[in-house]
Amino acid sequence: MSTRTARTPPSSRTPPSSRTPPSSRTPPSSGTPESSQSSRTPQRPSRSASGAGSGPEGAPARSKALEIQGFRGLAALSTVIFHVWQQYYRYDADGSHPPLDNPYIGSLISLEVIDLFFVMSAYLLTLSYARAAIDGGSLRPAGVFLFRRAIRIVPLYFIAVLVVWSSRNSTLPGNWLDLLEHLTFTHVFDREQIFYTLGPVWSLSLEIAFYLALVALGPLAVRACRPLRRRATRVAVCAGGCLVLFVLPLIWIAVARYVFDVPHTNWPVYFGPQARFGGFAAGMGLAVLMVALGERGRLRTRWAVALPALAVAGAYSVSLDSKPENFTFTFYHPLTSLLWALMLFGTIHTAQRMRWHGLLRARWLTYTGLVSYSLFIWHEPVMLQLHASGLLPAGQSGFPLAVLVVLLVAVPTAVLSYWVIEYPSSLLGRLKDRSGKPRDFYPELAR
C-alpha cells in the first residue's frame, strides 16, 4: 500500500455523485504549468513553460532553459500517471488498496511534484527582482507583470472551468458557489469546494497569491537594498527575506498540527498559501543564490551529478517514510521544496552540460513541458470522461493500460489546447510596450 494514501486530498475530485477516493499526492500547479512563459513563439519551444527566456519577469540563461522545460515535462507526466493511480485506488472495510500493492512503487508514483512547480515558478519570476536588488537596474511596472501573468493563466483556466462546470451542472443555478469560487481563485479556502470542478487547480490559487506577494515585496526589497553599499549586505537582506517567508509557513504548520491538533483533512489549513508558501520561498531563495553567485562556484562533474541525485533520493526517502501525521508527513512540502531547489541548483549552476541533461533536453520531453499547462488543466476531465464512457479497463490490474490510454488522449488534447487557446492568448502581451503603455502599432499615422 502507498505510504501516503491518506496524506493529501482527492485532487481528482469528480462531481458529488461520483467522488474519487483520497489521494496520496496533489498535482502540479503550472506552477505549476500555469506559470508558463508569458510570451513565446512556435519557433522557440526551448523556452521554459515557467517563463524561461528573456521574458519580462527575468529568466535563466537560455543554455539551461531546455533543462527546466524538461523538468516540467517529467513533472506533468508524473502528475497524469499519479491521477490514474488515484482513480484505480479501492477502499473497503479492510482499508485502502492501491493498484499495485508495493510500497516502493507507491512511494515513487506518489512523489509530489507540485512543490517542484512552485519552486520553478518562484525562481524564474523572482530573478529580475533579485538582480535589481543586488546588482541594481530597473524593474518593469507591477501592472505589466500582472497583465502578462493574467493572459498566461486566465483564458485557458476560465474556459476549462466553464466547460467542466457546465457539463456537471445541467440546470441553473447549479452549484453556483463552486463556480464563483473557482472564477475568483478563492476555492482553496473552502473545505468543501476546494477540489470540485477541476481538482488540481487549487494550486492556481496559490500561484495568484504568490504573484500578488511578489509585486508587493519585490519592489520593497529593491528599495531596501539601494542604500546599502556592500553587495554582500544586499545579498544578506534578500536571503534573509526569503528565509522569513520560508519559516513563517513552518510555524503555521507546526502550530496547527502540534498545538491545535488540526487534522490533515482540513484542507484549507494545510493547503492555503499560509501553509504552502514555503515552496515559493525556496524558489525565491534559489533566485537570490544564483544572482549572488553569478559565474562563480559553478559545479564540476562530480557535484553536478551528485547534488541532483542526492536531492531526488532525499525526496523519495521522504515520500517513503511519510505516514499520516508523522513528522515527514506533517512537513513533507517544506522538506521537498528545499530538495527540489537543491536539484535545480545542481542542474543549472554547472560548469558544463552533463550527459544526463540529454534526457531533459530530449525534444519529446521539452515539447511536453511546452504544453504542460494544458496537460495539467485537461488531463483530469479527459480521464474521468474516459472512465465514465467505459473506455478505461476495469479492475486494478488494468492500471498500466489505463495510463497509456489516458496519455494517448490527454497529450493530443493538450497540444490542441496549447495552439488553439494558450498560444493565441500569449499574443495579447504585444498589446503593451515595455513600460506598460498600450503599444502603438501604427506610429506613422500619428505624425
Side-chain angles (χ1 to χ4, degrees):
M1 183 176 68
S2 172
T3 59
R4 290 166 49 223
T5 302
R7 188 174 130 354
T8 54
S11 54
S12 293
R13 182 71 63 95
T14 59
S17 60
S18 179
R19 296 177 184 172
T20 57
S23 71
S24 57
R25 183 185 66 180
T26 53
S29 112
S30 155
T32 52
E34 66 279 6
S35 62
S36 303
Q37 75 277 19
S38 57
S39 63
R40 51 163 90 94
T41 60
Q43 292 80 19
R44 294 188 182 275
S46 63
R47 295 183 66 173
S48 165
S50 288
S54 55
E57 293 82 47
R62 284 192 180 278
S63 61
K64 299 300 181 183
L66 282 176
E67 280 82 351
I68 294 178
Q69 189 88 313
F71 276 129
R72 298 188 63 79
L74 284 175
L77 293 174
S78 170
T79 299
V80 177
I81 294 171
F82 165 74
H83 283 133
V84 179
W85 170 270
Q86 175 189 1
Q87 185 69 18
Y88 276 76
Y89 245 90
R90 295 294 178 263
Y91 292 81
D92 56 28
D94 296 325
S96 58
H97 306 280
L100 301 174
D101 195 8
N102 184 307
Y104 300 101
I105 295 177
S107 296
L108 179 62
I109 295 178
S110 299
L111 188 63
E112 294 239 18
V113 294
I114 181 61
D115 299 300
L116 173 58
F117 283 110
F118 289 163
V119 170
M120 288 192 291
S121 176
Y123 162 65
L124 293 166
L125 298 180
T126 304
L127 276 172
S128 61
Y129 290 99
R131 288 169 182 151
I134 295 172
D135 294 325
S138 60
L139 289 173
R140 290 191 178 184
V144 175
F145 174 91
L146 294 176
F147 173 72
R148 290 182 177 275
R149 292 295 91 202
I151 62 175
R152 178 69 194 97
I153 291 176
V154 171
L156 175 57
Y157 173 74
F158 274 17
I159 289 172
V161 167
L162 290 172
V163 167
V164 176
W165 186 89
S166 298
S167 70
R168 297 175 182 175
N169 293 265
S170 56
T171 59
L172 295 178
N175 191 345
W176 63 268
L177 180 61
D178 171 57
L179 178 62
L180 176 63
E181 290 181 346
H182 274 76
L183 294 180
T184 56
F185 297 97
T186 56
H187 51 291
V188 73
F189 302 108
D190 188 328
R191 187 173 181 178
E192 296 300 323
Q193 309 291 336
I194 183 172
F195 306 116
Y196 273 52
T197 301
L198 287 173
V201 300
W202 63 269
S203 59
L204 284 177
S205 297
L206 274 64
E207 283 280 339
I208 297 300
F210 167 66
Y211 299 158
L212 296 176
L214 186 60
V215 298
L217 298 177
L220 289 178
V222 173
R223 285 197 290 270
C225 288
R226 279 177 180 168
L228 305 176
R229 288 190 173 186
R230 297 185 61 207
R231 188 174 188 268
T233 305
R234 297 194 294 273
V235 171
V237 168
C238 293
C242 295
L243 180 61
V244 169
L245 293 174
F246 184 82
V247 169
L248 288 177
L250 286 178
I251 296 174
W252 173 278
I253 294 171
V255 170
R257 171 68 184 92
Y258 298 112
V259 177
F260 294 101
D261 199 25
V262 178
H264 70 272
T265 52
N266 192 328
W267 313 124
V269 171
Y270 295 107
F271 280 71
Q274 75 285 349
R276 300 296 295 273
F277 203 86
F280 296 106
M284 296 170 74
L286 178 62
V288 170
L289 176 62
M290 294 295 288
V291 172
L293 289 175
E295 293 300 315
R296 298 185 298 275
R298 289 194 172 272
L299 302 175
R300 299 293 176 182
T301 303
R302 179 181 300 177
W303 286 106
V305 173
L307 282 185
L310 288 173
V312 173
Y316 177 75
S317 298
V318 172
S319 178
L320 186 63
D321 181 68
S322 179
K323 296 177 177 60
E325 313 302 355
N326 72 359
F327 179 85
T328 50
F329 179 97
T330 301
F331 294 100
Y332 179 90
H333 299 289
L335 290 171
T336 54
S337 295
L338 291 177
L339 291 167
W340 295 136
L342 179 63
M343 180 190 72
L344 289 175
F345 176 76
T347 305
I348 297 170
H349 200 66
T350 58
Q352 61 194 54
R353 187 176 299 164
M354 300 294 103
R355 287 187 177 181
W356 68 272
H357 290 180
L359 170 62
L360 298 175
R361 298 173 67 89
R363 184 174 294 273
W364 68 271
L365 189 57
T366 57
Y367 195 84
T368 303
L370 182 71
V371 302
S372 58
Y373 180 34
S374 283
L375 185 59
F376 166 79
I377 289 290
W378 292 115
H379 77 274
E380 183 199 62
V382 164
M383 178 188 67
L384 295 178
Q385 186 59 45
L386 289 172
H387 176 75
S389 302
L391 297 178
L392 293 183
Q396 291 185 301
S397 61
F399 164 70
L401 179 59
V403 169
L404 179 61
V405 172
V406 172
L407 286 174
L408 287 175
V409 179
V411 172
T413 301
V415 173
L416 180 64
S417 172
Y418 173 79
W419 291 111
V420 173
I421 303 174
E422 282 193 72
Y423 178 69
S425 299
S426 72
L427 298 180
L428 294 174
R430 300 179 183 179
L431 295 176
K432 293 182 180 293
D433 61 21
R434 185 175 179 83
S435 65
K437 298 178 180 179
R439 189 181 300 276
D440 187 357
F441 291 95
Y442 306 99
E444 65 279 0
L445 300 180
R447 296 176 183 174

